[in-house]
Amino acid sequence: MKPPKNTWWEKASPSEIKKRQASLLHTFLKTRVIPFVSHYRDLFEKEGLTADDIRSTDDLVKLPFSSKKDLGETKDFVVIPDEEVLKKQPSTWLKILRHGPRGVKQALAEELRPIHMTSTTGRSSEPVPFLYTKQDLANLEAGGLRLMQLSETDADFRCINAFPFAPHLAFWQAWYAGIANTCFCLATGGGKVMGTSGNAKMIDKIQPDAVIAMPTFFYHLVNYAKTKNMRWPNLKRIVLGGEKVPEGMRKKLRKLCAELGSPNVDIISTYGFTEAKLAFSECKVPQGHESTGFHLYPDLAFVEIIDPETGERVPERTRGEIVFTPLQARGSVVIRYRTGDIIEGGITYDPCPCCGRTCPRLLGRISRVSDIHRLNIDKLKGTLVDFNALENVLDDTEGVGAWQIELRKHNDDPLETDEIIIHLVSMDGASEDLENIIRQTLKSATELSPNRIEFHSWKEMREMHGVGQELKEKKVIDNRPK
Ligand SMILES: [Zn+2]
């Protein structure tokens, strides 16, 4: 099965996008979701709705949201076809006409049989598996090709995919991006397979044009390369995924790449999540320009932005929670899925000022709703602490290398107050000044004073982050007794 080749996602007007999405959504619900996905069959019945009540993406508001807590039984969210129903569908007859009575079996298997899986990596919750059919892999490949096109990663580039080998979206998205773009792409398996030194040596040998990796891991890699006096003068693109990429992190990575001999790297951030079964990318902007946002693929997904409190849709370019509905997925399917991700600048349907594409875009930084925690900092009342703001301060402060936030109980006593300790690597060794700057910035940005700020070497921080041991670096660690 080949990835969808259409190009209207790049150039259709907002009204054309709306028209096409209405038709895709209606067909998807009518022929695949309501007949074959038990959770949504039940939900439509409970709400007294049929597919014909949802004629456009505006009608979707009639349907309640789905969220992580609904994703109980995996099979309830999978398209599991019923042969008798399939036989009666006009789309099956079209398939028989196109592929012949024998070919139709194979065509249906490619569309509907799950053959691949990735799962979520929640820190606190059980991993939730998401199934892919060949059609989903074709969509993933289409997403990969668009990622390469948006980032202007040419087919003759040599690439390194440094995501960990794992059943997680990031690795597979990068894998299919290389295949779709027919470019040389070496998958190192990340830190867990060959460590920081192994990855650095591989990059030193291949001298890639592009590296696709998680930001914190790549940050450790370039620092390691710097201490070993390596030269990586061929780097042109750093494509990041799996974690958010604050502006401060981009600046630091750009500076470090320049020190390794590549002063003109473009840093491209991507946004994906397990339930989307693909990732969206920024386009390459001229040096010194700000990102123009994550470019969405309106043929594959409908994204709406809602007020996380009321659930109402918000106007364009307004902060809110990202809600996702696929339009051509098979295997595991979620409709009106609340991601728990907040997009600061909302969504826009204006053409991209940089590349001119007309697909919708998500603007500004993304933060997690669940990153706001209630801590018992003073004994009397809980204090809401926004870890996004805390992390942004650390990422944006010049002179801060890597960091880790640790939560402890005072004296390790479960009944005592919570403590926040910030662990840091200083870029230029001036620790006392840096401590003062961080205390002041944190105070003004978050009204928070950490109990302690502790300084470490890069090597210590690599161990604390679990580079080489963990799939994702541990940037926030909770050491409170349970
Ligand atoms: Zn663009």
Side-chain angles (χ1 to χ4, degrees):
M1 184 169 263
K2 293 203 169 63
K5 274 223 174 73
N6 68 65
T7 53
W8 66 261
W9 70 274
E10 298 183 274
K11 52 190 183 206
S13 66
S15 62
E16 194 189 342
I17 290 176
K18 205 162 180 170
K19 219 169 102 195
R20 285 179 181 268
Q21 287 190 319
S23 150
L24 284 167
L25 177 67
H26 184 250
T27 311
F28 180 49
L29 294 175
K30 193 174 178 99
T31 66
R32 291 296 179 253
V33 178
I34 300 173
F36 302 138
V37 182
S38 71
H39 175 84
Y40 290 106
R41 183 171 51 229
D42 296 349
L43 186 65
F44 270 80
E45 206 181 293
K46 200 177 125 206
E47 299 294 322
L49 295 170
T50 70
D52 291 341
D53 292 311
I54 310 224
R55 291 282 181 180
S56 77
T57 49
D58 288 343
D59 292 335
L60 259 187
V61 297
K62 297 176 188 168
L63 201 68
F65 298 110
S66 300
S67 68
K68 202 149 259 170
K69 66 176 191 327
D70 298 314
L71 301 175
E73 277 292 325
T74 304
K75 67 170 178 23
D76 293 347
F77 289 85
V78 177
V79 178
I80 302 174
D82 175 318
E83 210 172 314
E84 289 309 308
V85 179
L86 263 188
K87 270 184 194 160
K88 291 187 197 125
Q89 289 187 341
S91 60
T92 312
W93 289 99
L94 283 177
K95 271 199 166 85
I96 295 174
L97 285 176
R98 191 183 304 158
H99 303 279
R102 249 181 274 161
V104 76
K105 211 174 160 200
Q106 180 63 21
L108 283 169
E110 292 191 3
E111 184 199 328
L112 296 166
R113 185 180 300 148
I115 54 169
H116 178 76
M117 190 193 102
T118 64
S119 69
T120 55
T121 44
R123 274 186 203 137
S124 49
S125 47
E126 281 291 300
V128 179
F130 261 71
L131 302 179
Y132 292 63
T133 71
K134 251 191 176 170
Q135 175 163 326
D136 293 308
L137 291 178
N139 291 342
L140 182 64
E141 193 173 328
L145 183 61
R146 292 172 192 186
L147 195 166
M148 296 304 229
Q149 289 167 342
L150 285 162
S151 62
E152 296 179 32
T153 301
D154 301 339
D156 58 3
F157 276 17
R158 282 190 303 260
C159 304
I160 295 272
N161 168 4
F163 283 117
F165 291 146
H168 297 149
L169 175 67
F171 172 78
W172 291 101
Q173 181 64 90
W175 171 265
Y176 278 101
I179 288 180
N181 202 33
T182 50
C183 64
F184 176 82
C185 194
L186 173 75
T188 65
K192 216 169 175 178
V193 173
M194 50 173 89
T196 316
S197 63
N199 275 271
K201 274 182 203 145
M202 199 55 92
I203 292 177
D204 212 41
K205 196 166 179 172
I206 306 258
Q207 291 294 340
D209 302 88
V211 177
I212 308 184
M214 282 211 232
T216 313
F217 179 63
F218 186 68
Y219 192 39
H220 281 293
L221 264 183
V222 281
N223 266 296
Y224 178 86
K226 202 179 119 185
T227 57
K228 298 287 171 190
N229 296 317
M230 290 178 175
R231 299 284 300 160
W232 296 353
N234 198 36
L235 290 176
K236 297 174 186 69
R237 302 286 180 281
I238 309 300
V239 180
L240 301 172
E243 280 174 348
K244 57 188 175 211
V245 189
E247 200 43 48
M249 174 65 109
R250 286 179 205 243
K251 263 192 214 143
K252 286 171 192 172
L253 284 177
R254 226 175 262 129
K255 185 164 170 272
L256 280 162
C257 288
E259 287 170 13
L260 293 174
S262 293
N264 295 316
V265 294
D266 289 291
I267 301 198
I268 312 282
S269 175
T270 60
Y271 170 61
F273 44 95
T274 308
E275 296 83 358
K277 296 198 279 186
L278 52 81
F280 303 110
S281 177
E282 296 172 335
C283 69
K284 178 176 144 2
V285 298
Q287 294 278 329
H289 277 64
E290 268 190 31
S291 157
T292 56
F294 298 107
H295 294 48
L296 303 173
Y297 313 139
D299 55 333
L300 296 173
F302 171 69
V303 172
E304 54 193 311
I305 308 297
I306 60 159
D307 179 327
E309 302 295 326
T310 65
E312 299 282 326
R313 282 189 189 167
V314 297
E316 271 191 53
R317 294 181 185 263
T318 307
R319 179 184 190 274
E321 182 176 348
I322 300 167
V323 175
F324 175 87
T325 301
L327 296 172
Q328 301 199 45
R330 300 295 185 262
S332 302
V333 160
V334 284
I335 307 291
R336 287 203 101 197
Y337 182 74
R338 288 185 71 152
T339 58
D341 290 334
I342 299 288
I343 181 79
E344 273 327 304
I347 194 169
T348 177
Y349 285 84
D350 296 338
C352 174
C354 211
C355 69
R357 288 179 177 91
T358 57
C359 54
R361 285 171 294 126
L362 296 177
L363 304 172
R365 40 168 75 132
I366 287 177
S367 50
R368 301 269 323 153
V369 178
S370 61
D371 281 349
I372 298 172
H373 297 274
R374 188 173 291 276
L375 297 182
N376 296 310
I377 289 174
D378 64 54
K379 280 212 164 169
L380 295 173
K381 56 180 186 358
T383 310
L384 283 180
V385 179
D386 180 355
F387 276 69
N388 290 304
L390 204 64
E391 293 177 34
N392 285 334
V393 167
L394 293 172
D395 274 312
D396 290 347
T397 305
E398 223 163 296
V400 173
W403 52 262
Q404 187 182 55
I405 301 169
E406 184 188 11
L407 293 177
R408 295 196 81 96
K409 281 281 180 191
H410 187 64
N411 291 331
D412 287 327
D413 178 348
L415 302 175
E416 270 286 356
T417 51
D418 292 316
E419 289 186 338
I420 298 177
I421 299 142
I422 293 177
H423 300 277
L424 290 180
V425 180
S426 162
M427 293 292 263
D428 23 272
S431 51
E432 209 165 290
D433 291 350
L434 192 57
E435 178 162 352
N436 288 334
I437 291 169
I438 286 176
R439 281 192 184 280
Q440 276 163 21
T441 346
L442 276 180
K443 191 94 201 163
S444 59
T446 67
E447 293 184 9
L448 195 89
S449 295
N451 297 74
R452 287 197 299 285
I453 294 182
E454 294 180 4
F455 287 88
H456 303 269
S457 70
W458 276 102
K459 193 162 179 286
E460 285 166 346
M461 188 57 82
R462 279 203 294 275
E463 275 163 26
M464 291 161 66
H465 273 170
V467 176
Q469 262 95 59
E470 304 286 332
L471 284 175
K472 213 173 198 168
E473 284 70 36
K474 291 187 288 192
K475 299 180 80 174
V476 178
I477 185 162
D478 189 346
N479 281 335
R480 291 174 294 182
K482 296 272 145 47

